[in-house]
Amino acid sequence: MAPSVTTALLAGANGKTAFSGRLPERQAWPRRCGAASQLPVVSVVRDAESQLLPDVGAIVTCKVCSINSRFAKVRILYIGSTPLKSAFRGTIRREDIRATEKDKVEVYKSFRPGDIVLAKVISLGDIQSNYLLSTAENELGVVVAHSEAGAQMVPISWCEMQCPRTHSKELRKVARVQPEFLQT
């Protein structure tokens, strides 16, 4: 269950109004004294559990949101096998897709929006809070992809997946999934 989202208007100590945008959860009590007795007092209560953060070197599972000629934008959904309460943003740059022939890599031949990708965190990113990710290892890349027909595709090589329904082939940077990542 997601925490409630609220906005609040408060009276500051100097009598001026302070505005707060999104509050995760609120509890309000009416003031008992002073001229601003009509305004509520708001306190923010955090969850007892802290959010797990991706660290450099961590293997993450993410979903491709968008691509362009220079990078793929993703949402990080898992760190290792631990699901995140809220997704983080990440970027896989063209030069971080493969370990070899980096100058020949084309993002649209490696990922498509909706693909589920295993990647490694290589940097905590920039001011926009984007984690920089890499798939430049054989064990990293696309693990789940769907064809245009909507069927889950099957990997047939390190760079191709095939639709079992239409038998059409699509290019991807396919991960060689290790047994410890397979769930039965």
Side-chain angles (χ1 to χ4, degrees):
M1 184 171 144
S4 61
V5 177
T6 313
T7 58
L9 198 59
L10 304 172
N14 59 3
K16 294 185 178 179
T17 302
F19 176 75
S20 174
R22 300 181 75 180
L23 299 177
E25 187 173 322
R26 74 179 176 114
Q27 295 176 343
W29 299 275
R31 287 184 180 236
R32 299 265 194 282
C33 60
S37 61
Q38 287 83 5
L39 293 175
V41 175
V42 177
S43 70
V44 177
V45 180
R46 292 183 177 215
D47 290 336
E49 298 177 31
S50 62
Q51 171 75 305
L52 185 63
L53 298 173
D55 199 10
V56 174
I59 302 297
V60 297
T61 304
C62 43
K63 184 174 185 175
V64 178
C65 298
S66 65
I67 61 171
N68 65 33
S69 61
R70 295 175 295 136
F71 53 80
K73 290 285 189 183
V74 300
R75 286 184 308 135
I76 300 172
L77 307 172
Y78 286 79
I79 299 175
S81 60
T82 306
L84 297 173
K85 290 182 183 180
S86 60
F88 292 101
R89 293 180 300 185
T91 301
I92 304 172
R93 300 177 301 188
R94 183 178 68 193
E95 57 268 23
D96 297 324
I97 292 175
R98 286 199 323 227
T100 59
E101 299 180 334
K102 293 181 179 192
D103 56 329
K104 295 181 181 178
V105 173
E106 296 182 59
V107 178
Y108 74 92
K109 290 183 178 178
S110 302
F111 309 114
R112 301 278 169 87
D115 287 356
I116 303 297
V117 175
L118 278 179
K120 181 182 280 189
V121 178
I122 57 172
S123 172
L124 299 182
D126 55 17
I127 193 101
Q128 299 173 340
S129 301
N130 281 344
Y131 287 88
L132 292 179
L133 308 175
S134 171
T135 58
E137 295 177 22
N138 291 338
E139 295 78 22
L140 304 175
V142 177
V143 291
V144 177
H146 290 87
S147 67
E148 290 184 11
Q152 185 171 323
M153 295 200 298
V154 178
I156 57 174
S157 75
W158 63 273
C159 64
E160 276 187 317
M161 296 183 104
Q162 185 174 29
C163 175
R165 194 178 299 161
T166 64
H167 301 292
S168 64
K169 297 177 184 176
E170 294 182 18
L171 296 173
R172 296 288 200 284
K173 196 296 185 184
V174 179
R176 184 177 67 203
V177 180
Q178 298 299 306
E180 64 263 21
F181 291 117
L182 295 175
Q183 293 181 347
T184 55

